DNA sequence: GACCTGCTGCGGCCTG
């Protein structure tokens, strides 16, 4: 007996033995009624089926073929192929006439040619590839049949320029089909109303929240001897034995580290401790070659691997069903990230995700308790769309000019229909038009910057084929410097390291990379040739990546935990474990809280220290420290050394300063915040670095052809040339202003800084004169030394501080930082600088 | 060229 072919979403689910969740029915109804919306649910909750079955039910005629009807955007290529598999089965059943296709940078030329003739009924693609479709001369004809767009992992795109690119593309598609449905899928997101408004361009839509019964289990791996757990340090290798025990007990696990360099070291340490795990554990981060990473990802999917040591390269929603357990070494920095990472485990039905936090120093014990509390309370970070980034707009203008041309008067309302450009001013619009037309006042003599021009009919187009080609090659908003490729002599590529790292190595010297010990043979162009090396002493590459500050949500939760502790409520294993440290802090000074601002002053051989603990994340502390330093120096000439971390800041003066007398409310004033901040920091330099990205997105700087990528140095040179030229000959260039704006509001988190100042003004100042550095002050001092001293001197220095501390604590060992740092900074952290040749 | 703990993501040309 043959069962009837399913024709409704629930029928299809039934063929799999599944019953629909209520939220899935809600989505089906909404789509059937022609509504757009945002679907928010944890990973593995069934979002894909909710939206896809709804789309098939509404748009597919089982008996007929269909032109391009559904666009499915994903932020990652690896997700695209996963998605293709997930969509194929229901489509075969519910819409046998439909075709499904994939279009990313990986798509081969045969498939591309096929798509050029005829696009599939549903196309899975990335924001960048969608923009490339918009740049086709026949874009309108090819895309006007689209009736629904699904944006997967919208939380990942919303807060950055890639998301703005998506906003612009959606506006374009809506222009061609005003009844277009848009659905966003998101997990781990704070402000859903904003996320929805940005996606729908201000139109209202349906907000659907999925199952929330999958709150992960969150626990902490506690140090065996809390009283000897270090006060500072980030690598945390002393937790290695405990971690190994956990891995032994679990099935497949992911071990997250915050930096690539740390991941390399942990992987190596695991292998040294458990040589029998060779081949069973693997390493995964963003600087490893694609092939290496693909192999690891396949191994995870097939359940071949016991553990993978990784960075946020494995954050996103690829479904690794065999993964049972996630461990996070070091601060997770935010609640959303915690849940995102936890969601990598327990993908199979009936299993609950579990994440174990592994602290690397004592304060992270408190952070772990705070993270669990905040996750339970659902205090997730919001992400906000950038406001009218003109570099993205300029790129989009050229894209649209290529995609059939535009008329300014009809394009402007379309652009303003996006959330990001809803307040685009007329003069900004005119500036952008002039910029694509002739590059602005300083570049009008150069034909390559006359990219777009109105034709006789008044349509703005790209007349030059060379400009068109370069533009297509440069589409996108992700800017990264080319690294030096690390490659075996026989050809196998391992990945990339930074130029500056390789430049300091000599041939014959060894370094640790891609989980192997390598000997540098020679460097040729942008390729470093290596062979496997023996021996033990090796440098570990460091990459210059981003710096994630502790989120406001997590920092606030941490202050709440400290208040618990101050009230004697040691109501979690983490707090009990941190009790020795907390009581020492309370005895020597006080515990920071939400209503007070703790200020500690200390006189040492180094000078006059001030420690403050606003708990606002390291970027804000950096801004705050330079602001305070600048304002103090204006009253009395003095210079400060500054040190910051996610919890607080230190100002150190070599000359006498009466801290209690100087800590006046006026220091925390709002007035003149920006000017003082710009003056206190080297803002010009920061802006110039920021401008590099803007120059590339706006198409000023060409990245070069693939395979012959320009070196970071070359690109840097050309972007700083533009920066200088604009400053001298075109100071009103809006891209310059954008660079400054991004430095202030994104890099330095200006908004959060202003909010922090406002809160600090309401807090009661509690001043403590210290005899010795407290557990909270100590990491700040260590961070400052680390910046100045080599690792050997650093260890000596810390040993001396420790001896002093131990004496102070009455001979009782309070901490073990020196031992931990000596352990954590083996042989050579970085290779010695190469001597300059005469 | 600075950073030292410091993430992630995509895309593309010419060869007849």
């Amino acid at each position: 007996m043959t069962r009837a072919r399913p024709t409704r979403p629930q029928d299809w689910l039934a063929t799999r033995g599944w019953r629909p969740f209520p939220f899935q029915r809600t989505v089906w109804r909404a789509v059937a009624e022609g509504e757009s919306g945002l679907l928010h649910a944890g990973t593995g909750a069934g979002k894909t089926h909710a939206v896809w079955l709804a789309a098939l039910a509404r748009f597919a005629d089982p008996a007929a073929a269909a032109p391009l009807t559904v666009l499915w955007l994903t932020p990652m290529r690896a997700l695209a192929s996963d998605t293709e598999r997930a969509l194929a089965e229901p489509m075969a059943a519910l819409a046998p006439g439909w075709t499904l296709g994939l279009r990313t940078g990986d798509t081969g030329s045969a498939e591309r040619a096929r798509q050029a003739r005829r696009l599939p009924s549903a196309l899975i693609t990335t924001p960048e590839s969608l923009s490339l479709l918009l740049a086709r001369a026949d874009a309108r004809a090819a895309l006007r049949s689209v009736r629904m767009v699904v944006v997967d992992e919208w939380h990942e795109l919303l807060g950055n320029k890639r998301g703005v690119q998506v906003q612009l593309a959606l506006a374009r598609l809506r222009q061609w089909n005003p009844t277009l449905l848009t659905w966003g899928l998101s997990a781990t997101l704070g402000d859903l109303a904003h996320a929805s408004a940005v996606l729908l361009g201000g139109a209202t839509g349906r907000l659907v929240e999925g199952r929330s019964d999958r709150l992960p289990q969150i626990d902490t791996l506690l140090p065996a001897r809390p009283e000897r757990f270090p006060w500072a340090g980030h690598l945390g290798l002393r937790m290695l034995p405990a971690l190994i025990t956990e891995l032994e007990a679990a099935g497949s696990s992911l071990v997250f580290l915050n930096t690539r360099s740390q991941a390399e070291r942990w992987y190596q340490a695991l292998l040294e401790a458990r040589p029998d795990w060779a081949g069973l554990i693997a390493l995964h981060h963003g600087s490893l070659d694609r092939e290496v990473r693909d192999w690891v990802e396949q191994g995870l999917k097939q359940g071949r691997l016991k553990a993978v040591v990784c960075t946020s390269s494995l954050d996103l929603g690829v479904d690794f069903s065999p993964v049972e357990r996630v461990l996070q070494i070091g601060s997770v920095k935010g609640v959303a990230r915690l849940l995102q990472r936890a969601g990598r485990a327990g993908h199979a039905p009936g299993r609950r995700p579990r994440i174990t936090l592994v602290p690397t120093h004592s304060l992270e014990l408190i952070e772990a308790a705070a993270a669990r509390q905040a996750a339970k309370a659902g205090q997730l970070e919001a992400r906000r769309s950038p406001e009218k980034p003109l570099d993205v707009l300029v790129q989009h203008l050229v894209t649209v000019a290529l995609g059939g041309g535009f008329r300014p008067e009809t394009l402007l309302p379309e652009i303003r229909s996006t959330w990001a450009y809803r307040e685009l001013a007329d003069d900004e619009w005119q500036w952008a038009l002039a910029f694509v037309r002739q590059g602005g006042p300083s570049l009008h003599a150069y034909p390559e910057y006359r990219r777009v021009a109105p034709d006789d009919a008044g349509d703005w187009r790209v007349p030059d084929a060379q400009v068109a080609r370069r533009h297509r090659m440069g589409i996108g908003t992700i800017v990264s410097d080319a690294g030096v490729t690390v490659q075996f002599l026989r050809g196998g590529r391992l990945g990339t390291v930074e130029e500056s790292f390789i430049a300091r190595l000599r041939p014959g010297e060894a370094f640790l990379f891609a989980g192997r010990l390598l000997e540098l043979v020679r460097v040729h162009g942008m390729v470093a040739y290596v062979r496997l090396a023996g021996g033990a002493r090796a440098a570990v590459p460091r990459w210059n990546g981003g710096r994630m500050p502790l989120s406001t949500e997590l920092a606030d939760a941490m202050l709440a935990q400290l208040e618990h502790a101050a009230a004697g409520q040691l109501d979690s294993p983490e707090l009990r474990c941190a009790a020795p440290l907390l009581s020492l802090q309370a005895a020597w000074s006080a515990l920071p809280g939400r209503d007070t601002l703790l200020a500690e002053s200390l006189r040492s051989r180094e000078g006059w220290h001030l420690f403050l603990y606003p708990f606002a994340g390291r970027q804000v502390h950096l801004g705050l420290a330079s602001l305070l330093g600048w304002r103090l120096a204006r009253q009395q000439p003095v210079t400060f050394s500054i040190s910051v971390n996610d919890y607080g800041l230190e100002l150190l003066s070599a000359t006498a300063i009466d801290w209690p007398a100087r800590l006046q409310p006026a220091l925390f004033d709002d007035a003149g915040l920006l000017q003082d901040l710009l003056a206190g920091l080297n803002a010009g330099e920061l802006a110039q670095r920021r401008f590099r990205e803007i120059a590339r997105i706006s198409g000023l700087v060409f990245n070069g052809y693939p395979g012959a990528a320009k070196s970071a140095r070359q690109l840097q040179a050309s972007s700083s040339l533009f920066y200088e030229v604009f400053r001298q000959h075109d100071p009103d260039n809006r891209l310059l202003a954008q660079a400054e704006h991004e430095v202030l509001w994104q890099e330095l988190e200006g908004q959060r800084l202003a909010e922090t100042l406002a809160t600090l003004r309401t807090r009661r100042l509690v001043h403590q004169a210290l005899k010795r550095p407290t557990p909270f002050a100590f990491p700040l001092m260590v961070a400052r030394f680390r910046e100045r001293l080599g690792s050997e001197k650093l260890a000596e220095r810390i040993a001396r501080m420790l001896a002093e501390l131990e004496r102070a604590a009455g001979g009782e060992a309070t901490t073990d930082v020196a031992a931990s740092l000596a352990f954590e900074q083996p042989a050579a952290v970085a290779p010695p600088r190469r001597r300059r040749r005469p």
Side-chain angles (χ1 to χ4, degrees):
Chain A
M1 177 183 128
T2 56
R3 194 185 293 179
R5 204 172 55 76
T7 53
R8 299 178 309 165
Q10 55 268 45
D11 297 339
W12 185 82
L13 284 187
T15 64
R16 314 292 302 256
W18 296 339
R19 285 167 50 83
F21 297 113
F23 84 86
Q24 291 179 318
R25 290 183 182 277
T26 309
V27 172
W28 296 340
R29 259 198 312 275
V31 170
E33 287 163 13
E35 276 190 280
S36 294
L38 177 69
L39 170 55
H40 182 76
T43 50
K47 295 194 290 274
T48 304
H49 282 135
V51 174
W52 178 235
L53 294 174
L56 292 175
R58 179 171 170 95
F59 298 118
D61 172 354
L68 181 61
T69 307
V70 177
L71 270 177
W72 192 288
L73 293 186
T74 128
M76 250 178 80
R77 286 177 298 210
L79 268 182
S81 34
D82 260 32
T83 305
E84 189 183 24
R85 274 188 295 277
L87 302 194
E89 259 188 80
M91 191 185 77
L94 296 174
W98 275 33
T99 50
L100 183 62
L102 202 91
R103 175 63 175 258
T104 72
D106 292 337
T107 305
S109 52
E111 174 63 15
R112 279 173 190 232
R114 200 163 32 243
Q115 289 180 8
R117 287 193 302 275
R118 184 179 162 77
L119 286 164
S121 321
L123 181 69
I124 302 160
T125 187
T126 60
E128 288 76 13
S129 286
L130 174 56
S131 286
L132 281 159
L133 285 178
L134 291 178
R136 271 166 53 161
D138 65 345
R140 182 191 165 95
L143 295 170
R144 65 185 306 177
S145 57
V146 175
R147 304 178 71 181
M148 178 164 174
V149 181
V150 179
V151 188
D152 199 1
E153 311 268 2
W154 176 232
H155 58 283
E156 207 48 50
L157 297 167
L158 165 62
N160 54 45
K161 291 181 183 176
R162 286 184 90 192
V164 175
Q165 194 178 7
V166 172
Q167 292 180 46
L168 289 166
L170 288 173
R172 196 97 267 259
L173 294 171
R174 285 183 192 124
Q175 203 62 32
W176 293 330
N177 175 10
T179 62
L180 182 82
L181 299 192
T182 314
W183 277 84
L185 309 183
S186 81
T188 63
L189 195 55
D191 187 347
L192 296 180
H194 176 68
S196 165
V198 175
L199 181 74
L200 305 182
T204 51
R206 187 67 79 91
L207 201 58
V208 183
E209 294 212 51
R211 299 189 288 157
S212 56
D213 55 342
R214 279 170 52 93
L215 191 70
Q217 180 185 345
I218 303 166
D219 50 28
T220 303
L221 198 56
L222 299 174
R225 301 175 59 197
E227 69 286 353
R228 295 200 68 84
F229 200 54
W231 290 5
H234 292 94
L235 191 53
L237 273 177
R238 67 174 45 230
M239 297 298 284
L240 181 66
L243 185 94
I244 287 176
T245 311
E246 296 297 310
L247 293 180
E248 277 166 348
S252 200
S253 305
L254 291 180
V255 180
F256 280 100
L257 272 302
N258 282 339
T259 75
R260 288 165 278 191
S261 184
Q262 288 175 328
E264 290 274 351
R265 285 203 214 165
W266 264 89
Y267 175 74
Q268 207 58 31
L270 273 171
L271 265 191
E272 275 167 28
R274 288 300 299 262
D276 55 315
W277 282 356
L280 290 178
I281 62 174
L283 178 67
H284 193 283
H285 61 68
S287 291
L288 298 179
D289 193 74
R290 275 288 297 285
E291 273 189 34
V292 178
R293 294 170 53 166
D294 286 347
W295 181 85
V296 176
E297 288 163 28
Q298 286 312 314
L300 264 179
K301 287 189 178 184
Q302 295 159 3
R304 265 193 283 119
L305 293 172
K306 171 136 200 70
V308 175
V309 177
C310 60
T311 61
S312 36
S313 55
L314 288 185
D315 262 0
L316 277 193
V318 177
D319 178 8
F320 297 120
S321 317
V323 173
E324 275 181 16
R325 187 101 190 256
V326 171
L327 297 113
Q328 161 74 37
I329 300 179
S331 171
V332 71
K333 304 281 184 180
V335 187
R337 272 165 62 94
L338 173 80
L339 293 178
Q340 180 73 33
R341 290 190 173 174
R344 301 301 92 224
H347 247 283
R351 280 195 347 222
R352 186 177 172 206
R354 174 173 179 195
I355 184 165
T356 301
L357 300 173
V358 184
T360 61
H361 59 75
S362 296
L363 293 177
E364 277 179 2
L365 284 166
I366 302 156
E367 204 185 298
R372 183 176 51 240
Q373 201 48 50
K376 212 180 277 177
Q379 287 156 350
L380 298 197
E381 292 81 11
R383 297 184 204 238
R384 299 211 42 100
S385 162
E387 295 271 357
K388 50 180 175 185
L390 293 180
D391 52 347
V392 183
L393 177 61
V394 160
Q395 186 186 99
H396 184 70
L397 287 181
V398 183
T399 296
V400 175
L402 275 170
F406 68 84
R407 302 210 172 197
E409 64 278 14
T410 53
L411 187 56
L412 177 58
E414 177 186 320
I415 301 284
R416 281 187 180 149
S417 74
T418 64
W419 194 91
Y421 299 99
R422 70 200 182 289
E423 286 173 359
L424 185 73
D426 286 336
D427 58 335
E428 289 167 323
W429 173 246
Q430 291 305 331
W431 177 87
L433 286 175
F435 191 73
V436 295
R437 193 173 183 179
Q438 41 116 341
S442 53
L443 299 176
H444 67 270
Y446 300 90
E448 62 263 44
Y449 298 107
R450 283 182 227 142
R451 291 184 280 175
V452 179
D455 62 13
D456 296 337
D459 288 320
W460 288 49
R461 297 176 188 276
V462 177
D464 185 273
Q466 166 100 343
V467 168
R469 201 179 69 211
R470 283 188 170 206
H471 179 75
R472 290 201 182 89
M473 292 181 62
I475 277 183
T477 61
I478 299 173
V479 172
S480 45
D481 287 336
V484 171
T485 301
V486 178
Q487 180 175 330
F488 283 122
L489 286 166
R490 306 175 64 181
R493 276 206 305 267
L494 290 168
T496 57
V497 295
E498 299 218 344
E499 276 177 297
S500 59
F501 174 76
I502 280 294
R504 276 179 286 151
L505 280 183
R506 296 158 175 277
E509 285 179 339
F511 64 105
L512 200 58
F513 177 62
R516 303 173 209 231
L517 190 58
L518 303 170
E519 177 194 327
L520 179 65
V521 179
R522 64 167 182 273
V523 181
H524 183 71
M526 293 292 281
V527 182
Y529 293 92
V530 299
R531 61 165 75 100
L532 286 178
R537 282 179 68 89
V540 182
R542 283 197 306 230
W543 289 264
N544 233 338
R547 307 170 171 207
M548 316 152 260
L550 192 70
S551 77
T552 304
E553 284 74 7
L554 190 44
D556 286 349
M558 219 174 144
L559 282 174
Q561 290 294 318
L562 289 170
E563 285 174 3
H564 274 237
Q569 299 165 9
L570 300 178
D571 46 12
S572 66
E574 293 89 351
L575 282 190
R576 285 190 288 277
C577 189
L581 171 116
L582 292 172
S583 55
L584 207 59
Q585 173 72 29
W588 289 0
S589 167
L591 288 173
R594 278 176 295 193
D595 301 326
T596 57
L597 171 62
L598 174 61
E600 299 174 335
S601 61
L602 171 72
R603 166 90 171 93
S604 78
R605 256 173 307 191
E606 286 188 288
W608 285 258
H609 309 250
L610 173 75
F611 302 98
L612 292 177
Y613 308 102
F615 280 79
R618 54 164 301 121
Q619 305 297 82
V620 165
H621 293 157
L622 181 64
L624 194 56
S626 16
L627 182 72
L628 296 179
W630 168 255
R631 287 179 174 175
L632 285 162
R634 226 168 16 188
Q635 304 166 5
Q636 162 195 343
V638 53
T639 53
F640 296 101
S641 307
I642 284 175
S643 174
V644 300
N645 61 21
D646 275 325
Y647 313 132
L649 60 95
E650 178 199 19
L651 287 178
L652 166 64
S653 157
T655 51
I657 182 157
D658 180 5
W659 283 116
R662 302 298 294 281
L663 281 177
Q664 295 304 320
L667 279 182
F668 301 97
D669 213 82
D670 254 347
L673 167 64
L674 289 190
Q675 299 88 302
D676 287 358
L677 190 58
L678 288 171
L681 282 159
N682 199 345
E685 205 167 293
L686 292 175
Q688 179 165 359
R689 217 179 307 158
R690 199 81 204 181
F691 185 77
R692 280 162 62 182
E693 179 188 306
I694 292 170
R696 282 158 80 174
I697 294 176
S698 62
L700 280 173
V701 173
F702 179 53
N703 290 320
Y705 292 101
K710 291 182 184 175
S711 74
R713 226 179 284 281
Q714 284 171 296
L715 285 170
Q716 183 189 327
S718 41
S719 81
S720 41
L721 190 66
F722 279 111
Y723 187 79
E724 285 311 319
V725 167
F726 286 162
R727 276 167 54 96
Q728 281 176 31
H729 305 288
D730 184 13
D732 295 330
N733 190 300
R734 293 180 188 250
L735 297 180
L736 290 178
Q738 190 188 332
E740 273 177 27
H741 186 271
E742 288 183 10
V743 165
L744 273 176
W745 301 107
Q746 286 169 35
E747 211 162 309
L748 298 172
E749 297 194 285
Q751 184 61 34
R752 191 175 173 192
L753 175 56
E755 285 160 11
T756 302
L757 280 175
T759 348
L760 292 185
R761 284 196 296 270
T762 68
R763 290 195 199 171
R764 186 167 51 84
L765 187 75
V766 175
H767 174 258
Q768 299 280 344
L770 303 182
K771 295 196 179 70
R772 54 195 83 87
T774 61
F776 278 77
F778 192 84
L780 284 163
M781 296 178 78
V782 172
R784 182 162 44 76
F785 302 151
R786 186 173 282 142
E787 288 187 21
R788 278 209 322 247
L789 306 172
S791 57
E792 215 157 313
K793 277 193 185 155
L794 176 65
E796 269 172 38
R797 181 61 164 277
I798 290 168
R800 204 169 65 224
M801 282 175 67
L802 264 172
E804 288 166 16
L805 271 176
E806 299 218 352
R807 258 201 315 283
E812 228 167 277
T814 55
T815 178
D816 211 4
V817 186
S820 85
L821 282 169
F823 183 41
E824 289 174 2
Q825 307 217 343
V829 172
R833 279 186 187 279
R834 186 189 282 188
R835 254 168 303 172
R836 209 161 286 183
R837 297 189 198 290

